[in-house]
């Protein structure tokens, strides 16, 4: 087995977008190109349908689908592509943030009419913080939308990216005629009224070629010439090193629904996108082609059937190879574990595999050993960094509603938090437990799962908290910090890792507190130290 070759042919990435921009449709079209599915509509959308945001059973149904689409792998031109699913729904944003720790690059989908939307801004910010290489796909060009240059400006401004178009639309909406592929220097023409297929691909090394006028008409041809001239004048030439460092982002235009501009995107993607990247652990930087195996858990999916309470832990392989039935070190527990049936993921199914390579995701059956962020290695004591918790948006006290079941409740809460469903804070003053979530929906999920999986009952009580801030004093022994702890005693809590958190009841309180105690730094993210 040639590990280096296997690493070189892997591309592991995520597609991120605001809901409805076309992530599912694009994913499906990519799978169609890879021959991984035979017809459109085969990949079920795992998004929460509109109007169903409070429908709990709908969420459960979606959860079932989402395990099937968590990782979609397929081969295209000899390249093994792993697409990691990132839920667009904002209540699952935390899940998406964690998944972004396991991707080597991302494709951002933007709706040409809606432009840059809120969820996209947040997700791209996380990608930028980690210097993840980004390609932008502007979708729905078959509809009327914003002017291409206006949109490129908006992308630069709102997403703080430095873009360079690698394709350019010829017209838009009803007048959409095709795509000029700047990357390959050819033109793809949209056919007839149905506009379903690429009629022909014509190589155009020189845009002044009269062939272009014949293809799209003189007006459109002249327009394209002007626009491409402008592109060249305004935007820098594509630079792969900058793209890989996360300082330049190529942009493609197309229509996922009509299969337009997708092949251009895919062909360029497999050429320029990074192979599995090295990853920083607390101890050292780990390279994919090292001999020793290492990987980390970025997602845990519980089996909802109470009779089979096992969970599937998703591991991203960082270095070495992962083999079935070999003992590996669970670094946090200091235990050796063997896995007899590791799952690899394909387009719509999972299968037991004997060997997996860096960039791959394996699903390991787990009876409660794993937490999100855990590291698994062939022996070295490594701790991978970078699965932070973000401040939740909602906070409630959780109470035990059945005193006979307090053990079950504690175990249930513990395991649900390990899965990353929500965050638990314990108040310093009285030991009361507070559940923090990104979306209000999770409270229903937790209550339901505690009852059905653990036989425990809980109730919630409102709590007036707007943000959780991880506390980082410049000097833990200073008088200022001691006073802060004394005055703010009622608002101090510990998170699950034992880190100190300040629960601010309003943005105003937070601001006042920061002014009064400037040496006590506050962070909205749990990992703030490098
Ligand atoms: P998401 O995963 O990002 O949430 O978006 P999804 O792919 O589900 O697409 C959202 C809607 O946009 C879908 O329509 C889809 O058909 C449509 N769409 C995707 N790409 C294009 C495109 O290139 N052009 C046009 N005109 N529409 C596009 P829907 O009516 O909400 O759902 P469906 O019933 O068609 O599945």
């Amino acid at each position: 087995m040639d590990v280096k070759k296997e690493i070189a042919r892997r591309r592991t990435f995520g597609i991120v977008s605001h809901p409805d921009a076309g992530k599912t449709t694009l994913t499906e079209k990519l799978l169609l190109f890879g021959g991984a599915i035979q017809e459109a509509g085969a990949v079920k959308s795992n998004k929460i349908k509109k109007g169903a945001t409070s429908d709990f059973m709908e969420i459960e149904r979606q959860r079932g689908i989402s395990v099937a689409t968590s990782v979609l792998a397929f081969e295209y031109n000899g390249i093994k592509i792993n697409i990691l699913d990132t839920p667009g729904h904002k209540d699952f944003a935390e899940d998406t943030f964690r998944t972004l720790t396991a991707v080597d690059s991302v494709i951002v989908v933007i709706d040409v009419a809606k432009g840059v939307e809120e969820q996209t801004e947040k997700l791209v910010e996380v990608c930028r913080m980690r210097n993840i290489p980004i390609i932008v796909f502007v979708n729905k060009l078959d509809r009327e939308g914003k002017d291409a240059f206006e949109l490129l400006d908006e992308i630069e401004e709102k997403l703080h990216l430095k873009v360079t178009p690698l394709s350019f639309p010829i017209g838009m909406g009803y007048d959409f005629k095709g795509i000029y592929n700047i990357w390959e220097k050819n033109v793809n023409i949209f056919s007839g009224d149905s506009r379903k297929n690429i009629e022909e691909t014509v190589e155009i090394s020189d845009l002044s070629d009269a062939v272009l006028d014949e293809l799209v008409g003189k007006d459109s041809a002249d327009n394209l010439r002007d626009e491409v001239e402008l592109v060249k004048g305004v935007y820098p030439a594509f630079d792969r090193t900058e793209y890989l460092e996360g300082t330049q982002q190529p942009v493609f235009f197309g229509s996922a629904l009509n299969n337009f501009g997708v092949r251009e995107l895919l062909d360029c993607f497999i050429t320029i996108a990074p192979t599995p990247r090295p990853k920083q652990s607390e101890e050292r930087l780990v390279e994919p082609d090292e001999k020793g195996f290492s990987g980390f858990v970025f997602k845990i999916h519980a089996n909802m059937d109470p009779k089979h309470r096992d969970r599937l832990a998703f591991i991203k392989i960082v270095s070495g190879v992962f083999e079935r039935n070999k003992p590996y070190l669970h670094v946090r527990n200091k235990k050796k574990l063997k896995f007899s049936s590791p799952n690899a993921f394909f387009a719509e199914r999972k299968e037991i595999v004997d060997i997996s390579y860096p960039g791959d995701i394996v699903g390991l059956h787990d009876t409660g050993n794993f937490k999100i962020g855990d590291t698994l290695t062939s022996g070295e004591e490594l701790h991978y960094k970078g699965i932070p918790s973000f401040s939740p948006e909602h906070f409630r006290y959780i109470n035990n509603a059945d005193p006979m079941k307090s053990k079950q409740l504690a175990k249930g809460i513990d395991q649900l938090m390990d899965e990353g469903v929500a965050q638990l804070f314990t108040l310093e003053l009285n030991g009361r437990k507070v559940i923090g979530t990104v979306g209000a929906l999770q409270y229903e999920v937790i209550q339901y799962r505690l009852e059905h999986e653990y036989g425990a009952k809980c109730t919630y009580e409102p709590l007036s908290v707007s943000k959780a801030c991880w506390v980082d004093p410049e000097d833990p022994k200073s008088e200022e910090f001691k006073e802060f702890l004394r005055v703010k005693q009622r608002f101090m809590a510990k998170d699950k890792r034992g880190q100190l958190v300040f629960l601010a009841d309003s943005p105003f309180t937070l601001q006042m507190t920061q002014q009064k105690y400037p040496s006590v730094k506050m962070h909205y993210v749990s990992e703030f130290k490098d």
Side-chain angles (χ1 to χ4, degrees):
M1 96 194 128
D2 187 340
V3 179
K4 280 205 166 117
K5 229 177 172 174
E6 290 297 333
I7 295 172
R9 71 182 202 95
R10 274 167 170 72
R11 307 284 183 278
T12 301
F13 74 107
I15 305 182
V16 302
S17 73
H18 193 86
D20 273 349
K23 180 168 72 77
T24 312
T25 313
L26 179 65
T27 307
E28 197 169 86
K29 293 298 153 79
L30 294 176
L31 292 173
L32 278 168
F33 272 112
I37 53 170
Q38 307 315 323
E39 55 184 326
V43 177
K44 286 169 207 75
S45 166
N46 70 353
K47 67 181 169 173
I48 315 294
K49 291 278 181 218
K50 287 179 212 104
T53 42
S54 60
D55 182 343
F56 178 67
M57 286 327 287
E58 178 67 7
I59 303 294
E60 286 312 300
R61 197 183 63 76
Q62 301 285 353
R63 274 173 50 87
I65 294 170
S66 83
V67 81
T69 59
S70 283
V71 185
L72 296 162
F74 65 98
E75 301 243 348
Y76 177 74
N77 283 356
I79 301 289
K80 164 103 188 277
I81 296 175
N82 296 312
I83 307 182
L84 307 196
D85 184 45
T86 54
H89 193 281
K90 73 173 175 16
D91 284 10
F92 295 93
E94 187 100 16
D95 214 15
T96 297
F97 293 145
R98 287 191 291 252
T99 300
L100 290 178
T101 64
V103 302
D104 297 306
S105 72
V106 303
I107 293 178
V108 176
V109 183
I110 291 174
D111 182 325
V112 68
K114 294 194 179 140
V116 174
E117 296 172 90
E118 187 198 342
Q119 253 337 77
T120 315
E121 277 185 63
K122 283 196 189 151
L123 294 170
V124 169
E125 194 185 329
V126 175
C127 296
R128 271 194 304 107
M129 266 162 47
R130 296 168 186 273
N131 301 322
I132 299 177
I134 298 173
I135 293 179
V136 178
F137 182 72
V138 178
N139 191 26
K140 307 197 185 180
L141 261 291
D142 58 316
R143 287 198 187 155
E144 292 300 327
K146 300 188 181 191
D147 166 70
F149 286 103
E150 197 186 305
L151 194 60
L152 290 169
D153 278 352
E154 186 178 328
I155 293 170
E156 290 208 316
E157 220 165 89
K158 287 198 178 161
L159 300 180
H160 308 281
L161 300 181
K162 244 178 115 25
V163 300
T164 181
L166 286 189
S167 77
F168 210 81
I170 309 172
M172 179 190 291
Y174 186 74
D175 288 328
F176 182 43
K177 296 213 165 67
I179 301 269
Y180 174 56
N181 190 338
I182 299 175
W183 170 251
E184 291 174 358
K185 292 208 171 40
N186 58 32
V187 168
N188 283 331
I189 304 299
F190 226 21
S191 72
D193 277 344
S194 74
R195 303 183 172 208
K196 283 281 184 277
N197 302 300
I198 298 171
E199 190 168 75
E200 50 184 332
T201 301
V202 184
E203 301 300 325
I204 303 239
S205 52
D206 180 1
L207 275 183
S208 60
D209 198 328
V211 173
L212 187 63
D213 302 67
E214 283 165 35
L215 283 172
V216 298
K218 185 158 177 15
D219 287 353
S220 295
D222 282 343
N223 220 349
L224 178 69
R225 288 178 186 120
D226 290 348
E227 287 176 329
V228 171
E229 208 44 46
L230 198 56
V231 166
K232 284 189 184 145
V234 174
Y235 298 100
F238 172 68
D239 181 325
R240 180 154 186 244
T241 311
E242 286 195 23
Y243 156 68
L244 291 177
E245 285 169 356
T247 51
Q248 187 191 71
Q249 291 78 21
V251 180
F252 285 84
F253 292 84
S255 162
L257 189 66
N258 297 294
N259 223 354
F260 220 83
V262 179
R263 190 196 54 77
E264 289 89 330
L265 171 73
L266 182 58
D267 283 347
C268 177
F269 173 80
I270 59 168
T271 316
I272 66 170
T275 54
R277 303 206 296 173
K279 191 168 169 72
Q280 191 66 45
S281 69
E282 273 170 31
E283 292 76 12
R284 63 187 184 84
L285 187 72
V286 181
E287 297 286 340
D289 59 359
E290 289 182 20
K291 211 164 176 317
F293 157 76
S294 68
F296 65 97
V297 179
F298 66 95
K299 180 182 183 122
I300 292 177
H301 207 289
N303 191 337
M304 298 298 290
D305 181 351
K307 285 186 226 93
H308 305 275
R309 176 96 67 65
D310 64 336
R311 319 190 285 181
L312 204 57
F314 290 77
I315 313 261
K316 160 90 185 280
I317 300 176
V318 178
S319 68
V321 295
F322 179 92
E323 290 176 80
R324 187 155 85 99
N325 282 327
K326 257 204 166 172
Y328 290 115
L329 177 68
H330 183 307
V331 178
R332 183 175 51 83
N333 285 351
K334 301 197 186 330
K335 266 202 298 198
K336 288 261 180 176
L337 299 173
K338 263 193 213 174
F339 303 91
S340 60
S341 50
N343 282 296
F345 300 88
F346 298 94
E348 282 281 81
R349 63 199 156 86
K350 48 187 173 62
E351 254 174 33
I352 292 173
V353 280
D354 289 326
I355 186 157
S356 305
Y357 298 90
D360 285 341
I361 311 298
V362 282
L364 303 179
H365 289 282
D366 172 43
T367 46
N369 284 313
F370 287 120
K371 274 187 195 186
I372 282 177
D374 278 349
T375 305
L376 203 61
T377 72
S378 46
E380 189 177 347
E381 293 212 4
L382 291 173
H383 298 81
Y384 279 114
K385 297 189 181 197
I387 305 215
S389 302
F390 291 81
S391 171
E393 302 287 327
H394 304 264
F395 298 84
R396 291 183 196 171
Y397 283 121
I398 183 164
N399 297 323
N400 186 2
D402 181 353
M404 305 295 286
K405 298 279 170 64
S406 57
K407 255 196 191 154
Q408 285 87 335
L409 183 74
K411 183 172 178 203
I413 293 178
D414 204 43
Q415 294 209 342
L416 293 185
M417 299 306 127
D418 285 354
E419 271 177 44
V421 176
Q423 292 179 57
L424 180 74
F425 302 98
T426 309
L427 287 185
E428 290 276 86
L429 195 63
N430 52 17
R432 286 195 75 178
K433 303 218 177 301
V434 173
I435 301 270
T437 65
V438 177
L441 203 63
Q442 268 95 338
Y443 289 106
E444 271 182 76
V445 175
I446 293 167
Q447 203 164 33
Y448 179 93
R449 292 190 55 190
L450 283 173
E451 187 167 345
H452 289 84
E453 293 172 46
Y454 300 91
K457 285 203 170 84
C458 74
T459 56
Y460 299 112
E461 223 177 286
L463 173 70
S464 165
V465 170
S466 76
K467 277 270 185 265
C469 303
W470 280 267
V471 176
D472 178 24
E474 270 167 26
D475 176 8
K477 294 201 177 82
S478 70
E479 285 310 313
E480 187 173 306
F481 185 52
K482 281 183 196 155
E483 188 191 316
F484 164 79
L485 288 179
R486 190 165 38 77
V487 174
K488 298 294 174 191
Q489 203 178 19
R490 282 194 315 122
F491 304 98
M492 301 312 298
K494 288 264 169 75
D495 73 0
K496 257 205 103 206
R497 287 188 270 190
Q499 281 179 281
L500 195 62
V501 175
F502 171 57
L503 301 176
D505 60 2
S506 70
F508 178 71
T509 317
L510 184 58
Q511 200 189 347
M512 295 306 288
T513 310
Q514 278 174 316
Q515 274 173 15
K516 197 159 176 216
Y517 307 101
S519 75
V520 183
K521 297 271 172 295
M522 304 278 183
H523 303 272
Y524 291 145
V525 182
S526 68
E527 267 192 26
F528 44 83
K529 285 181 189 134
D530 274 334

